[in-house]
DNA sequence: AATTCCTCCTGATAGC
DNA sequence: TGCTATCAGGAGGAAT
């Protein structure tokens, strides 16, 4: 579940169900996913401390251990990362890190394919600065002016720019396609060919898509007017009488309508 | 600066 | 039904 909406759902689950509890035991099978830290360091940073905050920057989830000076556990979901919080029952499959909290509750971080990352950082801002990670478009205060600024001077495809985490953090393959679809822009359009109006439409579409996707994803279904339920080559476009096409753009499978997304 | 290709893994699914 | 090939919502690194 790897783009901003899915990780935001995980963040809220942690915030609502796991915060303010002390970590009693830490169980790890990191399988090569540790980044810049060791199993013993992660264990020591978590065990015996209270979870005090859950934040997200792009596709990274940060969970603070301890009070204001505590460190932050960083989880990157790769393609198959998931969070599960449960009160009893068996540990879910593919659990790589499990925190048993006071009160009998457990927080499991799962990752079937081992493409995720487990890290420990001083704080999310410093991590984002060093990575580097671009601004998160769903964060408070980010607007059209900022969107124009991050695209300024770019010459690659708009799809590639939207998915580039150093430019904008949190957007991946599915939601970049969705925003471009709703803004009526072809994914291969180069950034410097976009008109002011295009960029404005794209920003509005992107913020709407990211905002609404959280709720739709949680409810389990996207509106049929979105591209998401029609990601099949040859499918009928739900917004016009065009056909959904598939091609490789910036290295990823992209879907777009051959009628209302003109190059 | 940007693209393409390769790589890390392994489950799901499309096709035969 | 069973097997095999291909793909997948990510991303870093090298070569171009």
């Amino acid at each position: 579940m790897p783009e901003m909406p899915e990780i935001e759902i995980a963040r809220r689950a942690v915030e609502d169900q796991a915060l303010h509890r002390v970590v009693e035991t830490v169980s790890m099978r990191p399988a090569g996913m540790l980044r810049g830290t060791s199993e013993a360091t992660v264990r020591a940073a978590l065990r015996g401390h209270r979870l005090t905050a859950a934040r997200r920057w792009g596709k990274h989830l940060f969970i603070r251990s301890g009070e204001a000076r505590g460190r932050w556990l960083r989880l990157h979901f790769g393609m198959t990362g998931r969070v599960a919080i449960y009160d009893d029952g068996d540990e879910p499959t593919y659990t790589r890190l499990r925190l048993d909290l006071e009160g009998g509750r457990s927080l499991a971080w799962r990752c079937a394919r081992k493409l995720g990352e487990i890290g420990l950082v001083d704080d999310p801002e410093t991590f984002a600065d060093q990575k580097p990670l671009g601004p998160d478009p769903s964060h408070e205060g980010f607007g059209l002016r900022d969107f124009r600024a991050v695209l300024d001077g770019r010459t690659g495809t708009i799809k590639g720019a939207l998915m580039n985490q150093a430019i904008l953090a949190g957007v991946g393959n599915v939601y970049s396609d969705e925003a471009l679809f709703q803004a009526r822009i072809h994914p291969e359009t180069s950034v410097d060919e976009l008109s002011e109006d295009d960029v404005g439409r794209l920003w509005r579409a992107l913020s709407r898509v990211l905002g609404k996707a959280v709720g739709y994803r949680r409810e389990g279904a996207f509106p049929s007017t979105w591209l998401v339920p029609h990601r099949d080559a040859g499918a009928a476009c739900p917004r016009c009488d065009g056909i959904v096409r598939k091609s490789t753009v910036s290295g990823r499978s992209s879907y777009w309508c051959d009628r209302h997304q003109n190059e």
Side-chain angles (χ1 to χ4, degrees):
Chain A
M1 40 202 258
E3 298 182 48
M4 169 266 163
E6 290 77 23
I7 290 146
E8 177 60 18
I9 289 168
R11 189 199 68 77
R12 292 183 193 180
V14 170
E15 187 170 80
D16 295 343
Q17 303 166 47
L19 248 40
H20 316 306
R21 295 185 187 228
V22 171
V23 176
E24 291 179 342
T25 57
V26 179
S27 167
M28 289 183 83
R29 286 180 298 288
M33 291 183 288
L34 287 168
R35 293 293 183 280
T37 188
S38 69
E39 190 170 329
T41 307
V42 172
R43 206 178 282 279
L46 295 170
R47 191 175 48 205
H49 296 280
R50 195 176 298 276
L51 301 182
T52 54
R55 289 187 41 198
R56 182 188 56 75
W57 188 312
K59 302 174 187 173
H60 300 258
L61 174 63
F62 300 90
I63 302 173
R64 189 172 65 189
S65 172
E67 301 307 321
R69 320 185 69 169
R71 303 197 76 194
W72 297 73
L73 172 69
R74 176 181 72 86
L75 298 174
H76 185 274
F77 289 50
M79 299 272 269
T80 53
R82 284 167 170 259
V83 161
I85 298 170
Y86 54 98
D87 285 320
D88 39 42
D90 296 333
E91 175 185 286
T93 51
Y94 309 112
T95 292
R96 311 294 179 185
L97 172 64
R98 192 189 77 239
L99 308 183
D100 296 323
L101 312 172
E102 59 180 324
R105 181 164 291 182
S106 293
L107 188 165
W109 186 68
R110 313 166 59 201
C111 194
R113 290 165 70 181
K114 301 165 184 166
L115 301 177
E117 298 174 1
I118 300 172
L120 202 61
V121 301
D122 290 335
D123 61 83
E125 288 77 14
T126 305
F127 172 78
D129 189 52
Q130 290 172 352
K131 182 80 175 156
L133 223 48
D136 184 311
S138 61
H139 280 177
E140 190 76 14
F142 188 93
L144 174 59
R145 181 187 296 266
D146 306 295
F147 188 60
R148 286 194 196 286
V150 298
L151 294 181
D152 188 49
R154 305 240 150 228
T155 58
T157 65
I158 182 60
K159 162 103 173 173
L162 290 176
M163 290 195 304
N164 185 334
Q165 302 303 296
I167 296 175
L168 208 58
V171 184
N173 199 27
V174 166
Y175 297 108
S176 60
D177 274 358
E178 187 65 50
L180 290 164
F181 173 83
Q182 295 192 18
R184 306 190 303 278
I185 295 168
H186 191 283
E188 284 181 282
T189 312
S190 57
V191 174
D192 58 0
E193 284 173 358
L194 293 172
S195 67
E196 280 206 14
D197 188 57
D198 288 334
V199 176
R201 271 198 337 279
L202 181 55
W203 167 245
R204 287 190 295 279
L206 182 64
S207 44
R208 179 175 62 242
V209 163
L210 292 178
K212 298 215 160 194
V214 176
Y216 291 142
R217 174 60 88 190
R218 230 175 352 192
E219 287 152 24
F222 289 91
S224 64
T225 52
W226 279 35
L227 175 64
V228 173
H230 309 277
R231 289 174 70 83
D232 291 300
C237 172
R239 298 202 173 194
C240 73
D241 49 11
I243 303 291
V244 174
R245 305 289 182 193
K246 176 187 182 183
S247 70
T248 300
V249 182
S250 292
R252 309 301 304 283
S253 293
S254 301
Y255 296 83
W256 80 95
C257 170
D258 65 0
R259 179 150 185 146
H260 80 262
Q261 287 173 273
N262 294 316
E263 240 179 302

